[in-house]
Every structure is written in structure tokens, then in C-alpha cells.
Amino acid sequence: MKKTIVFTGGGSAGHVTPNMAIIDELDRSAWDIQYIGSKKGIEKELIENIQIPYHGISSGKLRRYIDLENVKDIFRVMKGCLDARRVLKKLKPSVVFSKGGFVTVPVIIAAKSLNIPVFIHESDMTPGLANKIAQRFATKIFTSFEETLAYFPKEKTVSIGSPIRREMLKGSPGKGRELLGFDGRRPVLTIMGGSLGARKINETVRAALPKLKDYQIIHLCGKGNVDESLIGNKDYRQFEYVHGELSHYLAATDYVITRGGSNSIFEFLALKIPMLIIPLTRSQSRGDQIMNAKSFEKKGYAMMLEEENLTEESLLTHLADLKTNKMDMKDTMNRLNKKDAIGILVEEINKIG
């Protein structure tokens, strides 16, 4: 008889794609896989696209500042707890796995009230507010960064790294260059600003293009951000986003400019690509990407450039330094005692009776 597992996580793709990576590794003959998320969040489309049953619940936004909406959201979260409890009572899962985001709080509270084991994974170096709340209800906690262990109860927390999508490690450099029409004589520079792109990064890279002729460039610029005037430049390929070909493009990549989202930088680490991290500013986020970037820079996996200091000149200077330090970075990455986070999580899930 199949056991049931409920995944939850949402609000951003970063709270969903690791769940999808774990789902890909679970034995469908042993597990009935279900998903609880918000009624209209990005997670709904992503999960329905992989044909996993999806259950939408009421959810509020967890804010760290005073706002009248906080009062309304208390009631939304309370309703979310009732919604989640009703779904969980019907599904009777053996375990709930949470990847974070505000929608997970009512799910985890409801699971605890029904004595359902809860596993959570924290991607960032410092925990988000949802996982800060969730930790008291969790059975086991897993983290990407060793430093994050200090923020959770040590008796139920272990650092395992980030769940990396297996397909990201199976790309072909030759196929990537062929798909892109690149000649292979110059290094490939990939720019990724996240699922929505990054306006300042996009503008700065494009301004610097005349001085980046030593590179062939892949630019994932985000939805609606393609520059029509640059279409046709054979050394500069721009995409709103990439799905199936991404593993091949990354396999062909020599350097990457990226935001500081944990899932992305751990994938680049696994692929041993030297990276220049330009994290979201504190005005745009809680500062988690800055902390992630500083940790990777300190360990020798990356260089960091704060967006406030991003100019055409500083971009070119940092790329030159990245090129100079490429082999040292790769040597450091090669010495890393890499853990198989996906394998560990699947093994822990399979232990559940």
C-alpha cells in the first residue's frame, strides 16, 4: 500500500524547485505525492505542470514591519490552518515536507496538530521568518549552509547542502554551444538575474557589451526584458527564461553572474562554475542573499559585488578578477566534500513508517 507525502512551499520559485527535485527522486510506486500551496501563488502553476495533485489554501503574508494588512493576515493564516487541517485529515500523509515561504506556516501548524511528522529544509544562511516559526513544530530540520545550524535546535537539525536538480548535472557542453551557435574559442559568460530578471544587472551588462567581446554571452533577462535591438547578435543570446536546454547551457558556461539565491549558487557550485554574485539589496529583501554571497566569497567559491556599487566599470573589473582567479576557485570547489542532499532527503523520507 502506498504511503502519502505532502509537499508545501511557495511564494517564489526558490521555495518550489527543490521540492520538485525531491519529487523527481521519489518512487511513485511507493509514494502518493500531494502538494499544498496558496490559491494563486507561483507554486500552483509549477506543480500542476508536473501533474502533482494541488490543494490551494488561504494564506497571509508574513511581514517584519508594522502594517494594517498584518491584522487581516492573522485571519487569513487562521483560515489557512483550518484549510490545511481539512486537506491533511483527508489525505492522511505519513510526512509533510516544507521548503519555506509564508504559505507553509498554516500547513505545518495543522500537521503538528494532527501528529504528522514535519521535515523542513532551509536554503539560506539565515532562516526566513516562515522557518523561524516552523522550527518549533518540525520533527527534523535540514539546512544548506553549515552556518545555519546555529539558528535551529541542534538536536533535530543537520546540514546537508542544497537539493540539486539531477538534470542540472547532466548537460553537454558541446550540445550547449551547438544550440547557442557559439564557436567554442571564447569563454561563455552566463548572466542570470532570477525568474523576474534584474533591471540594473540587465542594463549594466548591455551597456558593457562593446567591452565584452572576449566572451560569448548567455543572458537570462526575465519575462518582458528582451532587448529587441540586440536580437541577431550571434555572440549575445538573450532569453526571458530557459527550461529544457538550461543544463546544456550551464555545462557550456565558464563564468556566471548571478543573484545570491541559495538554490542557484549551490547549483553553480555543484557544476564548479566560478561566479560573480550580485545579491538583492537590503531594501529589496531581508538581506539573505547578501549573507549567502558573503559565505561563498569567504569560502573561495565566488566573488561578490553589491548592487549599489554596480557600474559598467566595476562589472568589468570584477569579471577580470574572476578570470584571474578562475583556477583557484575551481580547485577550491573540487576540494569540497560534497553531500548528496537529494539522496539524504529521500532516504530520510523513506524511513517514515
Side-chain angles (χ1 to χ4, degrees), residues 250-265:
L250 291 180
T253 295
D254 296 282
Y255 308 96
V256 66
I257 296 172
T258 178
R259 284 301 199 188
S262 174
N263 298 324
S264 296
I265 63 176

Side-chain angles (χ1 to χ4, degrees), residues 269-331:
L269 176 59
L271 291 164
K272 301 178 178 61
I273 305 173
M275 58 193 104
L276 172 60
I277 302 175
I278 305 174
L280 284 169
T281 65
R282 292 191 185 276
S283 65
Q284 298 169 293
S285 70
R286 63 182 176 86
D288 49 305
Q289 291 199 5
I290 295 172
M291 298 291 288
N292 295 348
K294 285 182 176 178
S295 174
F296 266 46
E297 184 174 54
K298 183 178 179 181
K299 292 170 183 172
Y301 308 147
M303 295 180 64
M304 172 182 165
L305 173 59
E306 297 210 34
E307 187 171 309
E308 294 91 339
N309 299 323
L310 175 60
T311 63
E312 188 178 334
E313 292 72 25
S314 66
L315 179 72
L316 294 168
T317 299
H318 278 75
L319 277 176
D321 290 343
L322 196 66
K323 203 169 185 177
T324 300
N325 294 311
K326 174 183 177 180
M327 294 315 299
D328 286 342
M329 282 187 179
K330 281 186 166 288
D331 287 345

Side-chain angles (χ1 to χ4, degrees), residues 70-317:
N70 290 342
V71 177
K72 296 179 184 177
D73 283 341
I74 290 172
F75 293 100
R76 292 187 183 116
V77 172
M78 289 171 64
K79 185 177 186 302
C81 289
L82 295 174
D83 291 346
R85 185 178 166 88
R86 186 165 52 251
V87 173
L88 293 173
K89 284 183 78 172
K90 179 182 176 182
L91 296 176
K92 296 181 172 60
S94 298
V95 63
V96 168
F97 187 92
S98 169
K99 197 61 198 67
F102 54 83
V103 72
T104 65
V105 173
V107 182
I108 290 167
I109 293 172
K112 180 67 174 179
S113 76
L114 295 168
N115 295 314
I116 300 167
V118 174
F119 292 174
I120 66 176
H121 184 277
E122 174 57 61
S123 290
D124 292 312
M125 205 177 92
T126 59
L129 185 53
N131 278 344
K132 279 186 176 179
I133 295 169
Q135 64 175 300
R136 71 194 70 179
F137 306 107
T139 310
K140 291 187 177 181
I141 301 170
F142 305 92
T143 71
S144 291
F145 289 87
E146 292 279 349
E147 296 96 321
T148 317
L149 295 173
Y151 297 91
F152 291 120
K154 63 180 180 181
E155 68 275 5
K156 60 181 178 182
T157 308
V158 60
S159 175
I160 61 167
S162 183
I164 303 295
R165 294 172 286 175
R166 301 282 196 202
E167 66 267 23
M168 287 297 99
L169 308 177
K170 298 176 181 177
S172 161
K175 185 169 183 179
R177 286 191 291 269
E178 180 184 347
L179 287 167
L180 292 158
F182 286 174
D183 58 32
R185 292 190 293 273
R186 285 167 291 168
V188 173
L189 169 65
T190 295
I191 297 103
M192 297 180 69
S195 56
L196 298 176
R199 182 177 176 183
K200 188 170 182 182
I201 295 174
N202 290 347
E203 290 174 350
T204 307
V205 166
R206 286 165 176 158
L209 281 178
K211 299 176 182 175
L212 291 172
K213 295 194 179 297
D214 289 342
Y215 301 92
Q216 292 186 302
I217 297 170
I218 307 167
H219 190 174
L220 277 64
C221 56
K223 188 172 178 61
N225 295 324
V226 168
D227 187 330
E228 301 286 339
S229 70
L230 293 168
I231 293 175
N233 183 336
K234 62 183 175 58
D235 294 327
Y236 173 76
R237 297 295 309 280
Q238 53 184 330
F239 306 90
E240 289 188 341
Y241 48 81
V242 175
H243 290 305
E245 303 88 358
L246 183 59
S247 64
H248 302 303
Y249 292 176
L250 291 180
T253 295
D254 296 282
Y255 308 96
V256 66
I257 296 172
T258 178
R259 284 301 199 188
S262 174
N263 298 324
S264 296
I265 63 176
F266 271 96
E267 284 183 349
F268 302 143
L269 176 59
L271 291 164
K272 301 178 178 61
I273 305 173
M275 58 193 104
L276 172 60
I277 302 175
I278 305 174
L280 284 169
T281 65
R282 292 191 185 276
S283 65
Q284 298 169 293
S285 70
R286 63 182 176 86
D288 49 305
Q289 291 199 5
I290 295 172
M291 298 291 288
N292 295 348
K294 285 182 176 178
S295 174
F296 266 46
E297 184 174 54
K298 183 178 179 181
K299 292 170 183 172
Y301 308 147
M303 295 180 64
M304 172 182 165
L305 173 59
E306 297 210 34
E307 187 171 309
E308 294 91 339
N309 299 323
L310 175 60
T311 63
E312 188 178 334
E313 292 72 25
S314 66
L315 179 72
L316 294 168
T317 299

